[in-house]
């Protein structure tokens, strides 16, 4: 997991993992209220939406008064600014971690478009990824509020793209094995995501863990054939050949492979291993799974 200190301080409300307020675990009803407001943070939620989020299609007879009591308790415990009310709608009065994640990713995207130095965008992406503590709304029943499931999928897509961008830069200009640790966690959650597996393979190989790189790629090839019933892409197969032969590929070269690769398209000569030593260490075959290292 990326670990970067966030200068704005820790978000008071977290939903990228278990639902927490100021580090504490509210009641189940309060967590559902907080999650419903986090999902609807741009427009807020009215009482009917919050009742549905807490009790689903089977609200208790006293649902509205119970809702008001739960909101009052949240305010009493965590401050009146936690849940704001305006125009008949409720809003989160503080920035949650999901909102900060989007803000930082958006700032990184803006930096790329306006030519801002890449180090700033890379730092923003690292801070954004560091906010994740697990699957969004991990401790909630998504059936009660379908919007949670939609938001979980949307945030996961944003996170995947952020991991791709952060890891590409970290592999090229930073620590390949640091990128590998982040990519290993991402591929564990989405093992069929081809781009993430390719970057993991490249990161491990550039970091000196060629056998583990081959293992990660082999696992992906096996899953694609078993779960999807198709052959892996030409690029995946070609990457496996290059790694097996000791040729280290960087992320920029990764975009161009799929067929024969010219000698000037791979990493510098210092990143080559001899074919003989390569095949001796791997047995000239795919190696089974192991942990990155």
């Amino acid at each position: 997991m990326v670990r970067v200190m966030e200068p704005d301080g820790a978000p008071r409300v977290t939903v990228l993992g278990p639902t927490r307020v100021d580090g504490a675990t509210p009641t189940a009803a309060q967590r559902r209220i907080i999650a419903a407001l986090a999902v609807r943070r741009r427009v807020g939620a009215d009482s009917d939406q919050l009742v549905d989020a807490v009790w689903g299609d089977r609200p208790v007879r006293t649902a509205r008064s119970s809702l008001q009591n739960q909101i009052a308790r949240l305010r009493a415990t965590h401050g009146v600014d936690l849940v704001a009310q305006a125009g008949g709608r409720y809003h989160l009065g503080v920035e949650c971690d999901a909102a900060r994640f989007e803000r930082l990713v958006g700032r990184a995207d803006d930096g790329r478009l306006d030519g801002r130095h890449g180090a700033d965008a890379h730092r923003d992406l690292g801070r954004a990824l560091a906010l994740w503590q697990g699957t969004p709304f991990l401790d909630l029943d998504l059936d009660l509020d379908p919007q949670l499931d939609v938001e979980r999928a949307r945030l996961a897509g944003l996170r995947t793209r952020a991991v791709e961008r952060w890891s590409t830069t970290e592999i090229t200009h930073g620590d390949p094995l640091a990128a590998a640790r982040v990519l290993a966690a991402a591929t564990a959650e989405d093992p069929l995501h081809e781009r993430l597996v390719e970057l993991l393979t490249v990161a491990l190989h550039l970091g000196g863990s060629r056998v583990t790189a081959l293992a990660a790629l082999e696992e992906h090839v096996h899953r694609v054939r078993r779960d999807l019933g198709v052959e892996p892409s030409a690029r995946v197969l070609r990457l496996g050949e290059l790694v097996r032969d000791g040729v280290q590929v960087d992320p920029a070269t990764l975009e161009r492979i799929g067929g024969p690769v010219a000698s000037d398209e791979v990493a510098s000569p210092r990143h080559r291993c001899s074919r003989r030593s390569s095949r001796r260490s791997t047995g000239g075959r795919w190696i089974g799974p192991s942990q990155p290292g």
Side-chain angles (χ1 to χ4, degrees):
M1 182 179 293
V2 181
R3 294 292 184 186
V4 182
M5 291 299 293
E6 174 56 53
D8 298 335
R12 293 187 56 198
V13 172
T14 61
V15 296
L16 300 177
T19 308
R20 302 286 185 267
V21 180
D22 295 329
T25 303
T27 67
Q30 291 171 359
R31 294 200 304 274
R32 294 189 190 109
I33 292 169
I34 290 296
L37 294 176
V39 167
R40 298 167 178 84
R41 55 188 173 275
R42 296 175 182 82
V43 297
D46 60 27
S47 295
D48 289 339
Q49 289 173 313
L50 292 180
V51 166
D52 289 344
V54 176
W55 289 282
D57 57 2
R58 294 184 178 180
V60 298
R61 184 175 57 83
T62 59
R64 286 187 174 274
S65 60
S66 295
L67 174 67
Q68 297 301 322
N69 286 336
Q70 293 296 338
I71 291 174
R73 290 175 183 176
L74 278 169
R75 287 170 166 164
T77 303
H78 301 285
V80 295
D81 62 331
L82 180 67
V83 180
Q85 187 175 10
R89 301 183 74 81
Y90 294 94
H91 303 262
L92 272 184
V94 298
E95 185 182 50
C96 67
D97 55 354
R100 184 176 295 181
F101 168 75
E102 284 198 80
R103 175 168 62 85
L104 289 169
V105 170
R107 195 164 72 185
D109 288 340
D110 292 341
R112 180 178 59 175
L113 292 174
D114 66 18
R116 186 161 54 96
H117 194 272
D120 294 336
H122 186 62
R123 189 179 306 112
D124 284 340
L125 289 174
R127 289 172 177 157
L129 293 171
L131 293 168
W132 284 69
Q133 301 298 317
T135 303
F137 316 112
L138 178 65
D139 52 344
L140 298 178
D141 181 359
L142 303 191
D143 291 339
L144 290 175
D145 187 353
Q147 285 298 313
L148 298 183
D149 200 21
V150 174
E151 179 71 349
R152 173 186 284 181
R154 189 185 71 84
L155 289 169
L158 290 175
R159 184 195 185 195
T160 295
R161 290 192 289 275
V163 168
E164 289 180 23
R165 286 187 56 199
W166 181 86
S167 298
T168 296
T169 302
E170 188 68 16
I171 291 169
T172 305
H173 302 292
D175 180 359
L177 289 183
R181 288 190 287 272
V182 173
L183 288 161
T187 55
E189 296 177 7
D190 191 359
L192 292 174
H193 196 290
E194 183 175 282
R195 177 63 177 177
L196 294 178
V197 173
E198 290 171 348
L199 287 171
L200 174 61
T201 303
V202 168
L204 288 168
H205 196 195
L206 287 174
S209 299
R210 184 166 57 89
V211 170
T212 311
L214 282 170
L217 205 57
E218 180 198 28
E219 177 65 17
H220 174 72
V221 169
H222 173 70
R223 284 180 179 271
V224 168
R225 288 171 175 159
R226 182 194 65 193
D227 297 348
L228 303 181
V230 298
E231 283 298 303
S233 70
R235 185 164 68 187
V236 165
L237 296 176
R238 181 60 174 148
L239 178 60
E241 293 174 358
L242 292 170
V243 173
R244 187 170 60 245
D245 287 342
V247 179
Q248 291 184 323
V249 178
D250 59 32
T253 305
L254 184 60
E255 301 297 333
R256 302 193 297 272
I257 70 173
V261 181
S263 60
D264 61 347
E265 290 184 331
V266 297
S268 63
R270 69 185 178 87
H271 291 317
R272 279 183 172 272
C273 302
S274 72
R275 288 176 176 264
R276 181 179 179 183
S277 63
S278 168
R279 290 203 170 110
R280 181 174 62 247
S281 61
T282 66
R285 58 181 175 83
W286 292 103
I287 303 297
S290 63
Q291 292 295 318

